[in-house]
Amino acid sequence: MSDSSSFSQQAWRRLKRNKGAMGGLIVIGLAILTGIFAYFMAPDHSPYANEMVLEVSGQKPGFRIKMLAVSKPQTVERAGFFNRMLYGQASQYTFIPLRSYTVQGDTVIIQKYVDEATTAEERHMTADPRIVERTYWLGTDKFGRDILSRLLVGIRVSLSVGCIAVVISLSIGIFLGAVAGYFRGWVDELIMWLINVIWSVPTLLLVFAITLALGKGFWQVFIAVGLTMWVSVARIIRGQVLGLRELQFVEATRALGYSHLRTILKHILPNILGARDGSGCQ
């Protein structure tokens, strides 16, 4: 490789030649942007897209209905830009699905939508009734929540699980794999025994067990998934380290009196990512 071309530039050129990888990168990029601005894109911008209208539960995609927006008795504070981007904005209205309505002075008489075959008449005092039309493009769930909104907001949860779980699994797997491959002997046997034990337990069952032990919550799920993915990483790293530890540049670090930690972190692990000059050492 020439001096003018860096390792990252070479990797980027290889990535651009792979159409499948570039397509995947575009999809991931769009998913990240959608996850960041989910509350601005979602029809339901309430926290966790959790606005329930039980009367329209279980509707098919494309369901459309008019609703009367009734102001809530308590004041809802207006969220700032970043706060809304992170947590959404609670609605200041309660929405009542309608079949029809008429206005008589300061009173709006509505035929409330209960289900496909049932209506109920209600009267609301309001000088200026606020009627909105909603379209549920992907339908509603059994609680009357907009599935499209929950899908958009759920993207950030899926991406968080993937990223954090991978970081946890890589950290544990690289550490244990490098230690096992470098020191060998009883250390290698102990770590390989642990890997075989973890690998013998079904992954889904192990995730359930760790989640029950840690309790409910997003972070517990992240940790549980991460703690079950490190075994394959550790085996791969161990095999690579076993091949590199006998090479001359590793022997040179021992002759120079470098510590085991420096040898592993600065000389072995960087070479596992790929040799820059094809020789297997830097």
Side-chain angles (χ1 to χ4, degrees):
M1 184 176 65
S2 63
D3 294 338
S4 61
S5 179
S6 67
F7 179 71
S8 58
Q9 291 173 333
Q10 198 176 47
W12 175 244
R13 285 197 296 268
R14 290 181 61 187
L15 179 65
K16 289 194 294 185
R17 289 197 296 266
N18 190 326
K19 295 182 179 179
M22 286 300 298
L25 183 62
I26 292 172
V27 171
I28 293 174
L30 291 175
I32 292 173
L33 290 176
T34 303
I36 293 173
F37 299 104
Y39 283 115
F40 295 101
M41 301 170 63
D44 177 9
H45 49 257
S46 62
Y48 304 110
N50 199 37
E51 186 176 71
M52 301 182 189
V53 184
L54 294 176
E55 292 85 354
V56 297
S57 61
Q59 297 295 335
K60 295 180 180 179
F63 177 74
R64 182 173 296 175
I65 191 171
K66 289 184 178 180
M67 294 188 178
L68 172 65
V70 179
S71 297
K72 293 180 179 178
Q74 67 275 19
T75 303
V76 178
E77 294 184 3
R78 184 77 175 176
F81 177 82
F82 290 104
N83 197 44
R84 182 180 176 184
M85 184 174 68
L86 293 175
Y87 306 110
Q89 169 67 58
S91 177
Q92 59 180 328
Y93 299 103
T94 299
F95 293 94
I96 303 174
L98 306 176
R99 280 203 183 275
S100 62
Y101 70 97
T102 56
V103 180
Q104 296 180 356
D106 290 343
T107 304
V108 56
I109 303 172
I110 66 171
Q111 295 296 323
K112 180 181 177 182
Y113 177 98
V114 178
D115 56 38
E116 293 293 339
T118 309
T119 60
E121 185 175 299
E122 291 185 0
R123 293 172 178 263
H124 293 270
M125 298 293 295
T126 175
D128 184 20
R130 181 182 177 88
I131 307 296
V132 297
E133 185 175 56
R134 280 196 172 182
T135 302
Y136 295 93
W137 297 106
L138 294 182
T140 59
D141 63 11
K142 64 181 181 180
F143 299 108
R145 297 174 296 193
D146 183 28
I147 292 178
L148 175 60
S149 300
R150 292 182 66 79
L151 183 65
L152 292 173
V153 175
I155 288 176
R156 61 174 62 185
V157 179
S158 300
L159 290 174
S160 299
V161 171
C163 293
I164 297 175
V166 167
V167 169
I168 293 174
S169 64
L170 285 177
S171 301
I172 298 175
I174 290 175
F175 173 75
L176 292 180
V179 170
Y182 182 81
F183 290 103
R184 298 192 299 186
W186 68 270
V187 175
D188 185 23
E189 293 177 1
L190 178 62
I191 293 176
M192 288 306 299
W193 172 83
L194 178 61
I195 289 174
N196 291 330
V197 169
I198 298 297
W199 219 332
S200 66
V201 181
T203 303
L204 192 59
L205 182 61
L206 191 58
V207 170
F208 288 158
I210 296 174
T211 304
L212 288 174
L214 296 177
K216 297 180 180 179
F218 285 137
W219 285 102
Q220 288 82 343
V221 174
F222 299 160
I223 295 173
V225 175
L227 291 178
T228 58
M229 294 171 56
W230 63 269
V231 288
S232 57
V233 177
R235 288 177 67 93
I236 294 173
I237 296 298
R238 171 183 175 272
Q240 295 289 326
V241 173
L242 283 173
L244 287 176
R245 74 181 303 277
E246 304 299 336
L247 296 181
Q248 291 182 352
F249 76 97
V250 177
E251 294 291 340
T253 62
R254 297 194 190 103
L256 291 171
Y258 291 167
S259 65
H260 297 311
L261 182 62
R262 177 174 178 176
T263 300
I264 293 173
L265 293 180
K266 292 192 174 182
H267 300 280
I268 293 181
L269 290 182
N271 281 279
I272 293 175
L273 300 178
R276 298 189 181 186
D277 58 1
S279 63
C281 61
Q282 298 188 81

